[in-house]
Amino acid sequence: MTNTIIDQNAISRILMLLEEEREKALSPREWQHRIAGYGYAIKRTEQGEMITTLPHGREVCALPAQLSA
């Protein structure tokens, strides 16, 4: 997979959205479903968990530890 070039401001907005959705979700599974609705997924890699885009699976950035399920 190739990394998607996204500016830091966009990454901050994505992380804020994922954090808000994590707070609303009752379980990690529900959270994964909620973020999929926004076009994102969490993928486990050798470098750790990464936020990726759907449906292409392009890596956006690393998933911060506080959001890790």
Side-chain angles (χ1 to χ4, degrees), residues 17-69:
L17 170 69
L18 269 57
E19 188 171 354
E20 290 171 359
E21 291 303 316
R22 183 68 181 111
E23 291 172 3
K24 294 175 188 175
L26 299 176
S27 69
R29 184 175 177 171
E30 179 188 355
W31 179 57
Q32 298 261 339
H33 182 74
R34 292 177 74 93
I35 65 173
Y38 291 100
Y40 298 103
I42 306 301
K43 176 181 164 186
R44 289 201 169 116
T45 68
E46 291 180 8
Q47 295 79 28
E49 293 181 308
M50 302 294 287
I51 300 168
T52 61
T53 62
L54 291 175
H56 306 295
R58 293 197 175 106
E59 293 178 355
V60 175
C61 66
L63 182 68
Q66 72 266 22
L67 292 179
S68 185

Side-chain angles (χ1 to χ4, degrees), residues 1 7 19:
M1 300 285 158
D7 66 49
E19 188 171 354

